[in-house]
Amino acid sequence: MEIGETLRFIRKKKKFTQQEISKSYLDRTAYSRIEGDERPVRMNDLSGILDGLSVNVHEFFSYIMFDYDQQSFRELLHNCLDQSNNHHDKEKLISYFKRLNNKTNKNLREFSNYLAIKHCFQNLWNEIPPINKNDVEIAYRNVADKDYYFQYDYAIIMNIIPYFSTERADSIIKQVIPIKDEAKRDSTTKNFAYSILINLINLRIHDNNLSSAKDYLELAKKQPSLFRNYSHRLDLNYLDSLIEFLSNGDPSAYTKLLTFVNMTRDIGDYEKAETMKAELKTLTQKKFDEKYKEKRTHLPINLIKEG
């Protein structure tokens, strides 16, 4: 919904007339034109109108779909991740990917979506090629020297950081975390930013670089708002126990890990629970294997994937 349509929707749900809402701030005719999206609304007028409606500004904007196309893409991406064999959604996403792939000059949103599709489905669908060196270089050039990151920047980094060298990843994370102006950021932007850090911890564990994994875990623990997200809190506690177990073989840490797997299954996230279980089995088998010290050749299966 647009601003005017949203104002009309809320006003009618609250059973107010236009006259009742507009009388303290502007005349009814002007307010009617705002509801009809025939006149732009100044922020001070909007603030007064929302006070009259007794609606919080964050709640108001949650009704507004400023970026319908991007929201539709994310819903399609998540539907395909949940049901990768849904042929209708698969064909829609592949068709969209082909359009992006054939476009020479992608804007930041398009490049972010292009990388997200590759990262999520390169190992599931033959129609989606893998992320290549050119993708990695373009992504790095896009995000390396920025003083300030926005939502699409974070989304790009989240999906491309598994392909960065250790040096590049270490450099980028110092710029990304802590989030600048975090209190002003929306939940989606913060989710992408903190998913970068969680993915990096996971990568370091699979590289058998537990010292670096611990350092990044400590950095994560210093971000209070990260723990307000239940999923992130569960991920970090799981990774904390995983590092502890792999570091010293503590049986109590292994018991905690199994508890996290069972908790994840109990709340209905069966696919993630199975992924955690498979990851735990693989890392446990490799714990005393000299080959585990070799360079990682496959991406961890438990990385966060978003668009």
Side-chain angles (χ1 to χ4, degrees):
M1 292 189 289
E2 302 293 338
I3 287 179
E5 185 182 2
T6 305
L7 287 172
R8 184 169 60 253
F9 171 81
I10 294 174
R11 176 179 60 77
K12 288 185 174 182
K13 290 296 183 183
K14 287 180 170 281
K15 296 181 170 47
F16 287 124
T17 65
Q18 288 185 343
Q19 185 66 39
E20 288 173 318
I21 294 302
S22 63
K23 62 184 179 182
S24 300
Y25 312 103
L26 55 165
D27 64 68
R28 195 200 66 79
T29 301
Y31 179 78
S32 179
R33 293 183 64 206
I34 289 172
E35 277 199 0
D37 288 313
E38 298 171 358
R39 169 189 158 163
V41 57
R42 295 189 298 266
M43 288 306 298
N44 60 330
D45 288 334
L46 180 60
S47 178
I49 292 168
L50 295 181
D51 281 344
L53 288 168
S54 297
V55 172
N56 178 278
V57 65
H58 296 291
E59 182 180 17
F60 172 75
F61 281 106
S62 71
Y63 282 93
I64 298 177
M65 193 69 71
F66 281 117
D67 197 347
Y68 179 78
D69 289 342
Q70 187 62 17
Q71 184 66 23
S72 297
F73 163 73
R74 286 173 178 163
E75 289 176 359
L76 180 61
L77 185 79
H78 291 160
N79 288 344
C80 289
L81 281 170
D82 291 339
Q83 301 179 36
S84 60
N85 293 322
N86 182 317
H87 294 295
H88 179 261
D89 285 346
K90 178 181 177 180
E91 288 177 5
K92 283 179 63 178
L93 192 62
I94 289 174
S95 176
Y96 174 60
F97 174 79
K98 287 180 178 178
R99 292 199 302 273
L100 293 178
N101 197 37
N102 291 330
K103 191 169 182 178
T104 304
N105 297 313
K106 303 176 185 63
N107 61 35
L108 203 62
R109 177 179 66 85
E110 291 168 335
F111 185 58
S112 172
N113 294 348
Y114 164 86
L115 286 180
I117 295 171
K118 276 194 165 188
H119 183 53
C120 291
F121 298 103
Q122 60 187 354
N123 295 323
L124 292 176
W125 298 343
N126 293 331
E127 297 89 343
I128 304 298
I131 287 177
N132 56 46
K133 290 183 179 179
N134 189 52
D135 295 329
V136 175
E137 289 305 313
I138 293 173
Y140 186 72
R141 289 199 301 270
N142 266 294
V143 301
D145 297 319
K146 290 189 174 181
D147 295 323
Y148 199 94
Y149 294 96
F150 291 92
Q151 186 174 121
Y152 292 129
D153 298 312
Y154 289 122
I156 287 171
I157 298 169
M158 181 189 64
N159 285 311
I160 203 67
I161 203 164
Y163 308 89
F164 282 166
S165 66
T166 299
E167 293 75 16
R168 283 184 169 184
D170 288 343
S171 174
I172 288 292
I173 203 68
K174 290 176 183 177
Q175 298 169 242
V176 170
I177 304 294
I179 303 171
K180 292 181 180 178
D181 296 325
E182 184 174 2
K184 300 177 182 178
R185 305 303 189 109
D186 64 84
S187 59
T188 300
T189 300
K190 288 188 283 189
N191 178 60
F192 285 155
Y194 286 131
S195 292
I196 296 168
L197 185 52
I198 292 171
N199 279 349
L200 191 53
I201 296 169
N202 208 326
L203 288 162
R204 291 293 180 266
I205 291 172
H206 282 261
D207 286 336
N208 199 29
N209 190 344
L210 299 182
S211 175
S212 178
K214 288 179 182 178
D215 289 342
Y216 285 127
L217 184 67
E218 290 305 310
L219 176 62
K221 290 178 179 179
K222 294 176 182 177
Q223 316 305 315
S225 64
L226 192 157
F227 286 87
R228 297 186 191 120
N229 181 303
Y230 174 81
S231 179
H232 285 165
R233 188 162 69 246
L234 182 64
D235 285 337
L236 285 176
N237 279 283
Y238 167 78
L239 291 172
D240 195 359
S241 296
L242 186 57
I243 292 170
E244 185 179 353
F245 172 68
L246 294 174
S247 297
N248 53 38
D250 184 357
S252 64
Y254 187 76
T255 301
K256 284 183 183 178
L257 289 168
L258 295 179
T259 300
F260 286 127
V261 173
N262 292 332
M263 283 173 56
T264 303
R265 184 183 295 109
D266 289 344
I267 63 175
D269 198 342
Y270 302 108
E271 184 174 351
K272 183 170 183 175
E274 289 305 308
T275 299
M276 293 166 71
K277 187 177 178 181
E279 176 182 64
L280 183 55
K281 180 179 179 181
T282 299
L283 291 177
T284 301
Q285 288 174 338
K286 291 180 177 180
K287 177 172 169 54
F288 301 105
D289 190 338
E290 285 297 315
K291 292 181 181 180
Y292 183 45
K293 297 179 181 178
E294 297 177 2
K295 185 176 179 181
R296 168 174 48 83
T297 56
H298 301 286
L299 292 181
I301 58 176
N302 202 24
L303 293 177
I304 300 171
K305 298 176 180 179
E306 294 278 355

